[in-house]
Amino acid sequence: MTAFTIGHSTTLALAAIEFVRVSSRPIKVLIAVSILVSAVHALRPIFPDKEAGIAAFFGLIHGLAFAATLGELGLGLRERIVDILAFNLASKQCRWSSWPSLCHHYFS
């Protein structure tokens, strides 16, 4: 979860300052591939003991997709940065707030 967020946040930040620009079409294909690989890996591990690295890599790809969407909105640099920070903070908050219920469910 943290590795994915780091990858996601990295590409979002780089795209927000326009350091990285990509076409959304190849990114959409890569997202589909990442979901397929994740599903196969869940059934039969393809990358044993390398999950964090793979999650970070997939986070990079997914971050590029979100950045491409923000780019299509025509937002200014300041607006993109504020939106990305808000998204990451909200995303982290949702992930951390789910831990108590997951722990209660699995360890009760």
Side-chain angles (χ1 to χ4, degrees), residues 7-47:
H8 194 262
S9 300
T10 300
T11 51
L12 274 173
L14 292 174
I17 60 172
E18 298 179 347
F19 186 77
V20 174
R21 286 187 188 176
V22 294
S23 173
S24 64
R25 182 168 285 198
I27 296 303
K28 289 177 182 178
V29 171
L30 288 173
I31 286 176
V33 170
S34 74
I35 292 169
L36 177 63
V37 169
S38 296
V40 170
H41 181 76
L43 296 172
R44 184 172 185 183
I46 304 169
F47 309 104

Side-chain angles (χ1 to χ4, degrees), residues 1-8 34 37-38 41 47-61:
M1 185 167 43
T2 300
F4 183 88
T5 301
I6 290 169
H8 194 262
S34 74
V37 169
S38 296
H41 181 76
F47 309 104
D49 301 323
K50 293 180 176 58
E51 286 83 3
I54 299 302
F57 178 71
F58 288 168
L60 291 170
I61 294 167

Side-chain angles (χ1 to χ4, degrees), residues 50-101:
K50 293 180 176 58
E51 286 83 3
I54 299 302
F57 178 71
F58 288 168
L60 291 170
I61 294 167
H62 287 247
L64 286 174
F66 186 60
T69 301
L70 282 179
E72 292 169 4
L73 295 175
L75 302 173
L77 176 62
R78 184 173 188 268
E79 293 166 314
R80 285 191 309 260
I81 292 172
V82 168
D83 287 351
I84 288 167
L85 286 172
F87 175 82
N88 280 321
L89 290 172
S91 175
K92 250 331 190 191
Q93 177 61 35
C94 288
R95 288 184 185 131
W96 283 110
S97 65
S98 67
W99 276 104
S101 63

